[in-house]
């Protein structure tokens, strides 16, 4: 068998190696999560952060938790094109059945790997400056926490004004003895404040990093970690120019572009806003986080590949050689799978300190 | 019926489908290659008499333009076609061909055994059309140099194709164009669910041949 194999190698000649531009290369994820100097991760903060992340007490009407839209069953996204917070029930696509409930303008990103947001081929940015959201409008996981809490469509609802909501929630938490204990364990005398609330949730989110994917294991030297198909997919991905933007350990350059993303998908329903400049999406965990695009217009990865294939060649952003085949092919999908098969924390708590239903009704 | 260079990674559970397809595919291929011999057996002999020599032998050189996922450039192609007259307007043909494809970071060597029927609208006329089947095997090597490591993989695979070709033959020379349509794809293309059922639909070929 070995000699048959050898002769085949001889027939095939030596491997012809492509050497991509240094800006267009890919890399494994480092093991050290960037952490702000004033918020080192501790087990106490993570335990508190987990409780807060799952507790609908953080929403105006006590009906939506962070986990409602960032649920482990949907790889810490929600499986919806655009999210339904206030006015929805259940988890995942069923939330969309209440047509009167307000929609968020954009697709919910996964919270897996956001600990590394901003990490590019140039290295990591300080955790205090890590870009958040599709349009980078907020920096750091800590600051991000207040976005959904203040948003009327996501968590606040209409009963409490935006200026008051954070104080109302801090007061609610301070009034629950179990939270008082957890906050004291995590932050000592600082107690319950908007800042400690944000720090605890951010510390928990920094633990939501999947284990090494096939791609990471291969990059770190395990020759058997990636299938031939996935390697061919990686070659096609770089060869076709995708890595001009989707590069580095996050498969994102963390820059904003305006791609001609369609506004609607087939039917008459209008999804989120179609235009604007948005971040090169990280392709980590990509096979687990459908639908795709900032407005969720693509139902699956083949549709995304078709989008790139059919993009007008005159689109200045894509000048050069970005041309995936129609449908993307199995190789590309196998490569995407190799970027997505890391194991992650799927814990769904049985209860949260407020006594409300974890993740919302 | 890809033969693995190494254990399949994620998605490798297509293995079972693949090995079910393998043996019948090989059998069809063998029957096809053998069929012109059987049909051309002269009537006076038993099935086991010496094989009849082909009536025509044509060697060709040309180009293959495969519609694979990542190939856009044509590669060189060489083939030899044996023909046995079975009728004033028809020949049974058997062919063997080989070629190579090259892209930055990827090289594919492919070979084909084919069999089919070639029809001549005019008796001994210059025009011909051909339909057949082929068993195509390939070895492909892919490599990328990344800062962290060298990436490389070798892929062996086989496909069953149906082919159609048309040609003109004058004074011992022929010019032909054809298309090899993939009937049973190699395993990497069997689970595709996008807009097209098979992104790797086949390969366009063109050659200039010389009858020996």
């Amino acid at each position: 068998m070995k000699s048959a194999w050898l002769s085949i190698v001889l027939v095939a000649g030596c491997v012809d190696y492509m050497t991509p531009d240094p800006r267009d290369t890919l890399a494994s994820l480092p093991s050290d999560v960037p952490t702000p100097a004033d918020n080192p991760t501790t087990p106490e903060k993570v335990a508190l952060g987990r409780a807060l992340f799952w507790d609908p007490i953080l929403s105006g009407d006590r009906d939506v938790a962070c986990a409602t839209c960032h649920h482990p069953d949907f790889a810490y996204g929600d499986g919806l094109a655009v999210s339904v917070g206030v006015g929805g029930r259940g988890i995942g696509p069923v939330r969309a059945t209440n047509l009167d409930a307000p929609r968020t303008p954009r697709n919910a990103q996964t919270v897996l790997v956001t600990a590394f947001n901003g990490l590019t081929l140039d290295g990591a940015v300080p955790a205090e400056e890590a870009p958040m959201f599709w349009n980078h409008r907020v920096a750091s996981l800590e600051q991000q926490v207040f976005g959904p809490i203040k948003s009327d469509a996501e968590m606040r609802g209409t009963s409490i004004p935006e200026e008051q909501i954070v104080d109302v929630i801090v007061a609610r938490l301070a009034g629950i003895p179990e939270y008082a204990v957890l906050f004291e364990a995590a932050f000592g005398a600082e107690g319950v404040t908007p800042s400690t609330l944000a720090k605890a949730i951010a510390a928990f989110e920094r633990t939501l990093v999947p284990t090494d994917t096939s791609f990471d294991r291969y990059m770190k030297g395990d020759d058997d970690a990636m299938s031939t198909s996935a390697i061919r997919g990686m070659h096609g991905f770089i060869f076709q120019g995708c890595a001009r933007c989707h590069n580095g350990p996050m498969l994102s350059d963390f820059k904003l572009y305006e791609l001609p993303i369609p506004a609607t998908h087939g039917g008459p329903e209008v999804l989120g806003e179609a235009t604007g400049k948005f971040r090169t999406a990280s392709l980590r965990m990509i096979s687990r986080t459908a639908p795709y695009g900032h407005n969720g217009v693509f139902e699956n990865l083949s549709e995304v590949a078709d989008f790139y294939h059919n993009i007008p060649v005159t689109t200045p952003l894509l000048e050069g050689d970005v041309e995936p085949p129609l449908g993307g092919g199995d190789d590309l999908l196998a490569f995407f799978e190799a970027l997505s098969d890391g194991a992650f924390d799927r814990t769904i708590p049985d209860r949260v300190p407020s006594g409300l239903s974890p993740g919302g009704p | 019926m890809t033969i693995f260079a190494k254990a399949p990674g994620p998605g490798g559970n297509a293995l079972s489908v693949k090995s079910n397809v393998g043996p019948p595919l090989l059998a069809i291929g063998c029957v096809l290659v053998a069929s012109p011999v059987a049909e051309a057996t002269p009537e006076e002999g038993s099935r086991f008499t010496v094989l009849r020599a082909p009536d025509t032998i044509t060697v060709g050189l040309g180009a293959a333009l495969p519609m694979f996922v990542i190939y856009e450039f044509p590669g060189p192609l060489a083939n030899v076609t044996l023909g046995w007259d079975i009728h004033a307007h028809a020949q049974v043909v058997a062919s063997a061909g080989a070629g190579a494809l090259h892209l930055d970071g990827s090289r594919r060597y492919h070979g084909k055994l084919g069999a089919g029927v070639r029809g001549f609208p005019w008796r001994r006329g210059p025009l011909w059309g051909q339909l057949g089947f082929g068993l195509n095997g390939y070895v492909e090597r892919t490599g990328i140099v990344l800062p962290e490591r060298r990436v490389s993989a070798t892929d062996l695979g086989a496909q069953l194709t149906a082919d159609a070709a048309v040609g003109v033959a004058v004074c011992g020379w022929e010019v032909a164009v054809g298309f090899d349509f993939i009937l049973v794809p190699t395993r990497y293309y069997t689970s595709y669910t996008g807009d097209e059922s098979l992104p790797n639909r086949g390969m366009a070929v063109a050659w200039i041949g010389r009858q020996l």
Side-chain angles (χ1 to χ4, degrees), chain A residues 204-225:
Chain A
F204 168 62
E205 288 173 313
R206 289 199 177 90
T207 67
L208 295 179
V209 177
T211 58
D212 276 355
T213 60
S214 301
F215 168 77
D216 294 299
R217 284 184 285 116
Y218 183 84
M219 293 302 281
K220 290 175 183 172
D222 178 355
D223 288 345
D224 295 326

Side-chain angles (χ1 to χ4, degrees), chain A residues 44-352:
Chain A
E44 292 77 16
K45 286 184 201 170
V46 173
L48 170 60
R50 184 190 300 277
L52 293 167
F53 190 86
W54 280 91
D55 200 333
I57 193 85
L58 297 196
S59 59
D61 298 323
R62 298 179 168 84
D63 53 353
V64 184
C66 305
T68 309
C69 301
H70 300 288
H71 197 276
D73 289 355
F74 297 91
Y76 288 88
D78 61 5
L80 288 165
V82 287
S83 302
V84 178
V86 174
R89 281 190 81 84
I91 297 296
V94 295
R95 288 190 80 74
T97 47
N98 179 359
L99 297 175
D100 296 331
R103 264 61 177 166
T104 59
R106 288 179 278 273
N107 172 264
Q109 293 150 312
T110 174
V111 181
L112 292 169
V113 214
T114 40
F116 286 101
N117 272 15
L119 172 66
T120 63
L121 289 164
D122 298 326
V125 297
E128 295 84 344
E129 293 163 27
M132 294 293 149
F133 292 127
W134 279 102
N135 53 5
H136 290 181
R137 64 186 182 277
V138 166
S140 88
L141 282 171
E142 281 80 0
Q143 287 310 307
Q144 190 281 333
V145 168
F146 300 112
I149 290 180
K150 289 181 178 169
S151 151
D152 55 350
E154 287 179 55
M155 297 177 84
R156 177 170 59 88
T158 48
S159 49
I160 302 165
E162 188 178 331
E163 317 80 67
Q164 293 171 20
I165 186 72
V166 177
D167 294 332
V168 167
I169 284 164
V170 165
R172 278 187 200 164
L173 293 171
I176 298 172
E178 197 177 335
Y179 269 125
V181 172
L182 286 169
F183 269 93
E184 218 212 290
F187 298 101
E190 245 184 296
V192 191
T193 68
S195 163
T196 52
L197 163 69
K199 282 177 174 173
I201 293 181
F204 168 62
E205 288 173 313
R206 289 199 177 90
T207 67
L208 295 179
V209 177
T211 58
D212 276 355
T213 60
S214 301
F215 168 77
D216 294 299
R217 284 184 285 116
Y218 183 84
M219 293 302 281
K220 290 175 183 172
D222 178 355
D223 288 345
D224 295 326
M226 260 170 92
S227 68
T228 305
S229 179
I231 288 175
R232 288 160 43 118
M234 186 192 329
H235 173 262
F237 184 82
I238 299 175
F239 182 84
Q240 288 156 13
C242 309
R244 275 175 34 220
C245 304
H246 295 280
N247 52 37
M250 290 289 276
L251 290 101
S252 171
D253 56 5
F254 283 92
K255 289 185 181 143
L256 306 178
Y257 299 91
E258 183 160 355
L259 299 188
I261 304 286
T264 52
H265 178 270
E269 85 275 31
V270 175
L271 298 176
E273 63 203 341
T275 52
K277 280 188 152 201
F278 298 105
R279 167 206 304 167
T280 303
S282 167
L283 300 184
R284 286 197 167 270
M285 305 312 288
I286 192 69
S287 303
R288 307 284 184 273
T289 56
Y292 304 99
H294 69 268
N295 58 356
V297 72
F298 307 114
E299 276 176 26
N300 55 50
L301 286 168
S302 296
E303 283 186 12
V304 183
D306 288 351
F307 158 75
Y308 280 107
H309 181 84
N310 295 322
I311 236 170
V313 282
T314 49
T315 305
L317 284 172
L318 298 177
E319 257 173 26
D321 202 14
V322 179
E323 207 213 322
L326 200 56
D330 291 351
D331 288 342
L332 190 60
L333 298 185
F335 173 55
F336 284 156
E337 176 61 26
L339 294 168
S340 313
D341 57 6
F344 55 85
D345 184 346
R346 290 174 177 274
T347 317
I348 300 177
D350 297 334
R351 57 175 295 280
V352 284

Side-chain angles (χ1 to χ4, degrees), chain A residues 28 218 235 306 326-327 330, chain B residues 104 148-149 188 192 195-196:
Chain A
S28 63
Y218 183 84
H235 173 262
D306 288 351
L326 200 56
D330 291 351
Chain B
D104 190 10
E148 213 170 339
R149 67 164 291 167
Y188 300 130
Y192 178 69
D195 285 351
E196 290 189 24

